[in-house]
Amino acid sequence: MALPGELWAELPAEKRIFTSVLLFSWAVYLWEAFLAHRQRRVYRTTTHVPWELGQIMDSETFEKSRLYQLDKSTFSFWSGLYSELEGTMILICGGIPFLWNLSGQISGRAGFGPEYEIVQSLVFLLLATLFSALTGLPWSLYNTFVIEEKHGFNQQVLVTIYADYIAPLFDKFIPLPEGELKQQIEVMAKSIDFPLTKVYVVEGSKRSSHSNAYFYGFFKNKRIVLFDTLLEDYSALNKEPVEGEEGENEETKSKTKNKKQGCKNEEVLAVLGHELGHWKLGHTVKNIIISQMNSFLCFFLFAVLIGRKELFAAFGFYETQPTLIGLMIIFQFIFSPYNEILSFCLTVLSRRFEFQADAFAKELGKAKDLYSALIKLNKDNLGFPVSDWIFSMWHYSHPPLLERLQALKDAKQE
């Protein structure tokens, strides 16, 4: 009687590759499902505000956050299961070679024969994108118009694709008016030699009530962007509706009554102190270097593996070896174990950077204000402050709220 190892060794190389890809894909899914289950258990069982937040987070906000995250986790479970089943069926049923052959037929009818691989590749990408958009649209709509709407984050009246991808291109960037906040931002930037040229406020509240801030620009031309939802004095969500305004209803009044809090000027400065810490400590440059080194390694390995016929045969390509298909096979399937390890390492590094940026804000004397700002932002975004340690370690690029607060607490006491 042959042992499993002997049976495995007797399989053709392409069969071993295909089976390994499927098994690893399901191993990753089951691991992710296990972590998500642990975190959902935290959402279900943690029904009281942690004592560390007892004086600064009310029970109503905590419960809203808990239910929001529970709904998101449940949605992720079902959408993830569907995605994994869909991917498995595509591989088993030969969906990739089928779509490639269909692309060849379409390009052939347009007068482009098999020698026009680039044209066939473009058609393949178009068909794959359409398929992905159609199968993903119901999940995207449910997430935006059911879950986000239920918990008060969705501000859309338009199609999700427009709001997520097109609207940001036309967001209104308004220069931050002259005043105390702008002056303080400029002083802080100058104190750390940050080459600030302009400060903008963007009307993010038109699409979402999540808060954010970031900087961009090259060399000596840096600009800071603040979402209006971050600023207590600018957020449209904090403005009282005009009596008799067209379109006003009970839902609008309710949202205004339960308005988002935003941050005071001192807290906005603390958040910016954290973001500028990433620049001052070279985190952005380090991430770029890591990204470039990873790209070089991946393309080097791609050049080594692209000539292996068994890789193409494993996914149903016995006679042709299209470059685009080779890219898909190698980067999406063969590199999967490497990508999982790299992703975890980058998550660990990102958390380290976040602690370092918090420490930088401390050195600027912003510990107390950053402490309160983190709590407010967590509240405004309905972030849940309690996490399963394994789930957090694997997924969170930012440390959990309680860990960051504990690190800042010592500085506050000092």
Side-chain angles (χ1 to χ4, degrees), residues 83-99:
S83 179
E84 187 65 23
L85 290 172
E86 178 187 86
T88 299
M89 293 304 297
I90 289 174
L91 290 179
I92 293 177
C93 297
I96 298 176
F98 170 79
L99 197 62

Side-chain angles (χ1 to χ4, degrees), residues 388-402:
D388 174 76
W389 73 272
I390 302 180
F391 182 88
S392 167
M393 176 185 68
W394 188 261
H395 281 292
Y396 289 177
S397 61
H398 287 54
L401 176 64
L402 293 180

